[in-house]
């Protein structure tokens, strides 16, 4: 290890307070809807009130005659001028149905855009919607993914026979042999319900067109500014270099703000068409019906198990609901992102999976926090609980028997030719969680409390995921048409202060703090000398943005690598200034000095000024002190952990109370531990929301029954427990920071442990599984059914 490396830990690992928080906590954040624009016009979207209907005619004449109305767009106005919304992750031979930004002759889900009104005020635009007359011919709808595959089901697209987009198959090892050798075949049917992302800030867009410069400027709360610029340019048939995309502060994304939506295309088109800056901000009801949903899988699992508790193989037969159209990443979520991880933390030698991708008359489904890994964790962990029940074993002991051991890393799951889990200590996390929750103590108390009529349940589950997309070639081989690198430019100004321009993009994550720690650590400079710029395609020339927990592992590694390159150049300039050979110069705490002669020194700021004055540069060296890196990750990393929960169920009402929650996670090197705890708290809260409260309902005609926050229950703070989070650290060998990614871990683990604990509490009623969300009526009905079964047997 060099002396520089030995000095490397000054800022990394420190719980630095977020520099972003003062403006957020005092209401001074600037979001897209806050962006001021002169002559701003406002857009409103007319949406389909039917789940499935033919459009016989649209009459916009009355709306166009209304005061303040600037224009109305229907499909006839954009046909041939803008392209379809195109998915950019298409698995295998999946069929892509056409998806115009405005419905042409048919609507396929409630909320689909039919027309766009632009008016001087929001109220005028909203009023004009009611004056548009649409003649619909209502058609039969299908909202259930399994029903959509049945003979005679309503058909959505002419090019998608049987509503089947495609069938994904994957396997490893020999499942047939595992099943033949098994003592038991344990089967489980699981529904991973449809969810609404529910970001605090709804979607919004502002677009303006400068006819003199022929440039479009779009403000958009996007997780992926540069990719959004590319998609918009392609769809609008507009040169990408004349489109500036600015992402201001963003109030949460959770995956839903990384997709291309009709409103963004239409508002940008309208800004040019009507020669006015145009803005649109989603209402909460629109967020429920028109922003992509998440999850929506039905899973049938079979586990081949030996008499002593070894799981020999897993078979999955899954049906995934894509909604009415394919959103950007849709086909990759229930297939690659789920199937890859269905063996979880366990050394299971055989896997056989098949996923059918189905269109229905519902809102399109795409990535939502975790994007396939919560579903995979739910599959394997609920199966492990079922296996333990069938074999009469303790669920924790069953997990111990099957865990991947530390010496097996890098671990190759089910003999896969490419997949590798990079590093980990699964046993350590499990045992720490078991100890922290006091598993043995709660087992004793559980029996005591049961005699008092109190029903307490305990569960300990594991999870693993793989995060940090790219590598670009690997992603491309799996149909991911985006690339996987991340860019970083470190610019040292002539006064020695530094600006990092990063292609990554926060939505409340704390990047400005975290990335300043990474760059300040590499350059050994105070954090307040480091500014971080993100979210403006004119200032940051390239990038891929934030998703798949890639910000630190990929974006942070890009920043770290660029900073180290800057330091290498500065070292050579300092050597020239000190009239010494570069190899005799060292650096510490912002000062270059000659080894063994520390009095011969020069400050980093002086070197920076010299880089721009350029009078003492080594021969052949260019002026300036900037470095740009396009960091291409060679592999992804595999964070993991074990979570434990204790719940109490009121058997008279079905209400569930979480009494204790423990999380022990290994996400590699922690850049800012305080932010890591915060990420876990947020993710766990969303996971508990899925387990106990949240779920989207449609009626048979495709009407959305959970169209407001009165109908769709996001957990409130007093419904969440105190969370005890802690970390183990196994550095990842896949990137220079040793980081693994943490943003989605909490919601990957939480649903499984909460459902497991509730089912444990109710085991005396013969209950082994209840589908999420475990609402009081559903739990109460399960208890009643359990009592009825017991009475029937007696």
């Amino acid at each position: 290890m060099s002396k520089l490396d030995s000095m490397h830990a000054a800022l990394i690992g420190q719980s630095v307070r977020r520099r972003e928080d003062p403006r957020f906590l005092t209401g001074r954040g600037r979001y897209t809807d806050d962006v001021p624009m002169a002559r701003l016009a406002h857009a409103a979207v007319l949406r389909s009130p039917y789940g499935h209907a033919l459009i016989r005619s649209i009459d916009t004449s009355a709306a166009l005659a209304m005061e303040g109305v600037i224009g109305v767009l229907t499909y006839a106005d954009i046909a041939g001028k803008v392209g379809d919304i195109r998915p950019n992750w298409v698995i295998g031979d999946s069929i892509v149905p056409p998806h115009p930004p405005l419905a042409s002759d048919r609507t396929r889900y409630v909320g689909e855009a039919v027309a766009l009104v632009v008016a001087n005020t929001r109220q005028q635009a909203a009023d004009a919607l009611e004056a548009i007359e649409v003649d619909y011919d209502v058609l039969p709808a299908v909202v259930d993914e399994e029903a959509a595959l049945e003979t005679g089901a309503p058909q959505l697209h002419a090019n998608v026979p049987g509503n089947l987009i495609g069938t994904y198959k994957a396997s490893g090892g020999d499942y047939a042999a595992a099943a033949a050798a098994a003592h038991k075949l344990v089967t489980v049917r699981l529904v991973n319900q449809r969810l609404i992302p529910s970001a605090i800030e709804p979607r919004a867009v502002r677009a303006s067109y400068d006819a003199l410069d022929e440039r479009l400027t779009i403000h958009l709360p996007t997780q992926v500014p540069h990719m959004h610029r590319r998609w918009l340019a392609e769809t609008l048939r507009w040169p990408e270099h004349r489109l500036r995309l600015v992402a201001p502060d963003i109030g949460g994304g959770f995956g839903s703000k990384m997709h291309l939506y009709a409103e963004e295309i239409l508002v940008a088109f309208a800004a040019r068409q009507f020669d006015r800056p145009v803005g649109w901000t989603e209402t909460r009801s629109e967020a429920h019906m028109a922003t992509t949903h998440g999850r929506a899988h039905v899973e049938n699992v079979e586990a081949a198990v030996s008499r002593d508790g070894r799981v020999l193989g897993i078979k999955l037969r899954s049906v995934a609901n894509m909604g009415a159209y394919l959103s950007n990443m849709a086909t990759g979520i229930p297939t690659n992102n789920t199937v890859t991880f269905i063996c979880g933390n366990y050394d299971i030698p055989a896997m056989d999976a098949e996923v059918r991708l189905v269109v229905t008359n519902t809102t399109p489904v795409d990535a939502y926090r975790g994007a396939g890994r919560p579903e995979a964790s739910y599959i394997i962990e609920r199966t492990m609980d079922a296996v333990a029940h069938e074999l009469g074993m303790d669920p924790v002991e069953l997990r111990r028997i099957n865990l991947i051991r530390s010496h097996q890393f890098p671990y190759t799951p089910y003999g896969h030719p490419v997949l590798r889990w990079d590093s980990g200590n699964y046993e350590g996390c499990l045992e720490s969680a078991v100890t922290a929750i006091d598993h043995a103590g709660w087992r004793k108390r559980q029996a005591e409390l049961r005699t008092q009529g109190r029903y307490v349940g305990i569960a300990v589950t594991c999870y693993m995921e793989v995060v940090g997309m790219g590598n670009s070639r690997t992603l491309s081989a799996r149909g991911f048409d985006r690339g996987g690198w991340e860019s970083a430019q470190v610019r040292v100004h002539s006064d020695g202060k530094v600006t990092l321009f990063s292609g990554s993009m926060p939505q409340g994550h704390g990047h400005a703090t975290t990335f300043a720690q990474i760059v300040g650590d590499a350059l050994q400079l105070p954090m307040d000398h480091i500014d971080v710029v993100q979210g403006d395609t004119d200032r940051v020339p390239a990038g891929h943005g934030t998703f798949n927990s890639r910000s630190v592992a990929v974006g942070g590694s890009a920043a770290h690598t660029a900073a180290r390159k800057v330091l290498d150049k500065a070292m050579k300039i300092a050597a020239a200034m000190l009239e010494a050979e570069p190899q005799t110069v060292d650096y510490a705490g912002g000062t270059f000095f000659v080894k063994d002669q520390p009095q011969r020194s020069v400050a980093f700021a002086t070197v920076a000024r010299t880089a721009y004055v350029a009078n003492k540069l080594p021969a052949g060296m260019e002026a300036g002190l900037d470095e740009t890196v396009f960091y291409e990750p060679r592999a992804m990393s595999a964070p993991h952990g074990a979570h434990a929960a204790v719940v109490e169920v009121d058997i008279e009402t079905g209400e569930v109370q979480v009494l204790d929650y423990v999380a022990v996670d290994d996400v590699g090197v922690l850049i800012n531990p305080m932010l890591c705890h915060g990420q876990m708290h947020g993710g766990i809260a969303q996971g508990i929301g899925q387990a106990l409260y949240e779920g989207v309902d449609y009626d048979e005609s495709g009407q959305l029954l959970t169209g407001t926050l009165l109908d769709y229950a996001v957990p409130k703070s007093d419904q969440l427990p105190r969370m005890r989070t802690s970390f183990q650290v196994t550095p990842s060998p896949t990137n220079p920071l040793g980081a693994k990614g943490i943003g989605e871990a909490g919601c990957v683990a939480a649903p499984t442990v909460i459902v497991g604990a509730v089912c444990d509490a109710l085991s005396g009623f013969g209950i082994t599984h209840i589908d999420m969300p475990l609402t009081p009526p559903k739990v109460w009905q399960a208890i009643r059914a359990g009592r009825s079964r017991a009475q029937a047997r007696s």
Side-chain angles (χ1 to χ4, degrees):
M1 179 182 291
S2 70
K3 185 172 182 179
L4 286 179
D5 289 331
S6 69
M7 298 174 178
H8 186 62
L11 285 171
I12 288 179
Q14 302 299 315
S15 288
V16 180
R17 286 187 177 275
R18 296 190 350 153
R19 58 172 56 175
E20 301 93 331
D21 282 347
R23 77 171 189 274
F24 290 150
L25 296 177
T26 56
R28 290 180 292 167
R30 173 174 285 189
Y31 300 87
T32 296
D33 194 62
D34 301 322
V35 174
M37 287 186 177
R39 300 176 60 242
L40 180 69
H42 298 268
V45 180
L46 182 69
R47 301 185 181 280
S48 171
Y50 303 111
H52 200 187
L54 291 176
I55 298 175
R56 297 202 174 279
S57 65
I58 303 177
D59 185 351
T60 63
S61 56
L64 283 167
M66 293 178 68
E67 181 181 357
V69 173
I70 297 168
V72 179
L73 298 176
T74 66
Y75 177 76
D77 300 300
I78 64 170
K81 300 175 183 175
V82 301
D84 285 351
I85 299 174
R86 182 179 69 86
N88 47 55
W89 195 3
V90 180
I91 287 288
D93 57 358
S94 298
I95 302 169
V96 179
H99 185 189
L102 288 170
S104 55
D105 60 346
R106 182 187 297 212
T107 65
R108 295 178 172 85
Y109 67 95
V110 167
E112 183 172 1
V114 175
L116 182 90
V117 173
V118 178
N120 287 325
T121 69
R122 289 184 183 181
Q123 190 58 54
Q124 288 169 337
D127 289 345
L129 293 183
E130 298 181 9
I132 299 174
E133 294 186 4
V134 184
D135 183 9
Y136 291 104
D137 186 359
V138 179
L139 300 172
V142 60
V143 299
D144 180 87
E145 54 272 16
E146 293 179 305
L149 292 172
E150 294 176 357
T151 302
Q155 299 295 292
L156 269 73
H157 300 278
N159 70 330
V160 186
N163 297 319
L164 183 64
I165 288 288
T167 301
Y168 173 86
K169 296 182 179 180
S171 61
D174 188 342
Y175 181 78
H183 165 62
K184 281 195 175 219
L185 298 177
V186 178
T187 60
V188 182
R189 177 180 166 86
L190 306 168
V191 176
N192 210 299
Q193 84 273 29
R194 177 184 289 253
L195 299 177
I196 292 173
S198 305
I200 291 176
E201 181 203 14
R203 288 188 297 119
V205 58
R206 292 276 188 278
S208 62
Y209 177 65
D210 185 330
L212 293 179
D213 290 339
E214 294 186 86
R215 281 176 62 85
L216 267 171
T217 298
I218 298 172
H219 287 74
L220 186 69
T222 171
Q223 301 172 223
V224 290
H226 296 86
M227 287 197 286
H228 242 115
R229 178 179 63 169
R230 184 197 311 167
W231 301 333
L232 282 166
E234 290 173 350
T235 308
L236 293 167
R237 300 165 184 175
W238 183 252
E240 184 175 328
H241 70 286
R242 292 183 188 161
L243 197 160
R244 178 190 182 191
L245 198 147
V246 182
D249 290 328
I250 299 175
F254 313 124
S256 67
K257 291 178 181 169
M258 59 183 291
H259 313 308
L260 179 63
Y261 290 93
E263 296 85 356
E264 299 155 5
I265 301 164
L266 297 171
V267 168
F269 179 85
R272 284 189 66 212
Q273 181 78 5
F274 302 124
D275 192 24
R276 285 279 296 269
V278 179
W280 169 82
T281 299
E282 189 179 51
T283 66
R284 185 57 60 181
S285 293
E286 285 180 302
H288 280 225
M289 70 174 75
T291 295
T292 54
H293 294 171
R295 315 288 190 252
H297 303 189
V298 175
E299 324 278 10
N300 289 285
V301 194
E302 179 180 277
V305 297
S306 68
R307 190 182 301 274
D308 60 358
R310 287 286 300 177
V311 180
L312 307 175
I314 293 287
K315 184 169 82 172
L316 171 70
R317 295 292 180 265
S318 173
V319 183
N321 197 328
M322 298 285 96
Y325 301 95
L326 295 186
S327 181
N328 280 149
M329 299 174 65
T331 62
I333 306 304
T335 55
N336 182 83
N337 275 21
T338 300
V339 167
T340 303
F341 312 113
I342 62 169
C343 291
N345 301 51
Y346 310 108
D347 188 12
I348 300 174
M351 180 275 286
D352 178 25
E354 178 182 293
V355 182
R356 286 182 289 175
L357 307 168
V358 181
V359 286
T360 64
N361 294 112
T362 60
T363 299
V365 179
D366 207 318
Y368 169 61
R369 196 170 188 175
R373 285 98 70 200
E375 296 93 314
S377 177
Y378 197 64
I379 289 167
I380 185 61
E381 292 300 319
R382 294 302 300 138
T383 301
M384 294 300 279
D385 284 340
V387 170
H389 175 77
E390 286 286 332
L391 297 181
M393 295 182 65
D394 177 76
V396 173
E397 184 58 27
L398 180 82
R399 286 171 167 83
R400 287 191 180 112
I401 290 171
N402 287 283
L403 278 181
I404 298 165
R405 310 301 177 190
S406 298
H407 68 269
Q408 292 178 272
F409 290 99
Y411 176 78
T412 302
Y414 37 84
H416 197 280
V418 176
L419 295 177
R420 298 285 185 278
W421 310 157
D422 58 343
S423 65
N425 180 2
Y426 295 175
E427 301 154 281
C429 285
L430 177 62
E431 297 309 326
S432 294
V434 167
T435 301
I437 202 73
D438 186 19
H439 187 263
W442 271 111
R443 279 286 180 236
K444 292 179 182 177
R445 274 173 274 171
Q446 181 183 41
E448 296 167 2
L449 292 170
R450 190 68 53 87
T451 64
Q452 302 170 21
R454 295 178 61 185
Y455 288 77
V456 169
I458 309 106
V460 183
T461 65
C462 302
Y463 81 93
M464 61 80 56
E465 54 175 339
V466 170
V467 302
M469 285 183 170
N471 158 284
S472 299
R473 288 181 182 274
T474 302
L475 296 179
S476 180
R478 290 174 173 259
F480 192 74
D481 179 28
R482 291 186 178 182
W485 48 264
E486 192 52 271
S487 76
Q489 181 187 49
V490 172
R491 181 181 301 165
V492 181
H493 305 282
S494 62
D495 62 354
K497 304 299 191 295
V498 177
T499 301
L500 166 69
F501 300 86
S502 170
S504 188
M505 182 66 216
Q507 307 105 55
H509 298 78
H511 285 189
T513 304
T514 305
F515 283 24
Q517 285 183 258
I518 292 170
V519 174
D521 188 83
L523 296 178
Q524 300 187 39
L525 296 174
M527 276 183 62
D528 60 6
H529 288 203
I530 317 292
D531 282 347
V532 178
V533 173
Q534 297 178 286
D536 186 334
T537 58
D538 270 12
R539 300 184 70 188
V540 181
H544 274 99
T546 292
F547 54 95
N548 189 237
S549 297
R550 69 192 301 272
S551 294
V552 167
V554 186
S557 292
H560 168 85
T561 304
R564 294 301 297 247
K565 292 181 70 174
V566 164
L567 197 58
D568 288 344
K569 183 176 181 180
M571 186 81 78
K572 294 172 184 171
I573 298 173
M577 295 173 68
L578 294 168
E579 298 181 342
E581 293 297 323
Q583 64 270 21
T584 67
V585 175
D586 212 336
Y587 179 71
T591 300
F592 297 92
F593 57 90
V594 178
K595 296 174 184 175
D596 303 325
Q597 298 181 63
Q599 71 279 9
R600 293 175 60 192
S601 64
V602 60
F604 182 88
T606 306
V607 172
R609 179 173 173 75
T610 299
Y612 287 94
V613 175
N615 59 348
K616 296 179 181 178
L617 297 180
M621 180 179 284
E622 293 181 349
L625 199 50
D626 292 9
E627 291 289 350
T628 300
V629 165
F630 286 71
Y631 175 80
E632 181 74 78
R634 64 178 182 273
M636 297 166 73
S637 61
H640 64 91
H643 289 208
V646 180
V647 305
E648 181 169 3
V649 182
D650 184 332
I651 64 167
E652 301 302 326
T653 65
E655 188 169 351
V656 176
Q657 181 181 4
V658 182
L659 303 180
D660 197 6
Y661 195 104
V662 166
V664 182
D665 296 275
D666 188 337
V667 295
V669 172
L670 308 178
I671 306 301
N672 186 321
M674 181 171 61
L675 298 193
C676 293
H677 284 288
Q679 288 276 6
M680 290 308 304
H681 291 173
I684 292 168
Q686 283 189 284
I688 292 175
Q690 175 171 13
L692 297 181
Y693 306 109
E694 300 183 43
V696 177
D697 290 322
Y698 285 92
D699 71 11
E700 291 183 353
S701 70
Q703 285 298 327
L704 179 63
L705 304 178
T706 48
T708 74
L709 287 175
L710 289 174
D711 315 303
Y712 184 89
V714 177
K716 296 180 290 187
S717 59
D718 63 355
Q719 293 173 304
L720 297 170
R722 184 172 72 90
M723 304 166 196
R724 296 188 284 143
T725 54
S726 63
F727 297 96
Q728 297 190 2
V729 176
T730 308
S732 172
T734 64
N735 64 76
L737 295 172
K740 293 186 174 181
I742 189 174
E744 296 153 303
C747 75
V748 173
T752 66
V753 74
I754 295 296
V755 173
V758 171
C759 292
D760 181 66
L762 301 179
S763 60
F765 295 99
I767 294 171
T768 58
H769 179 72
I770 307 172
D771 282 323
M772 299 183 291
L774 306 186
T775 58
K778 191 183 291 184
V779 172
W780 181 81
Q781 288 169 1
I783 294 169
R784 189 174 68 165
R787 283 174 162 162
S788 297
R789 289 193 298 270
Q791 289 173 355
R793 288 193 298 270
S794 62

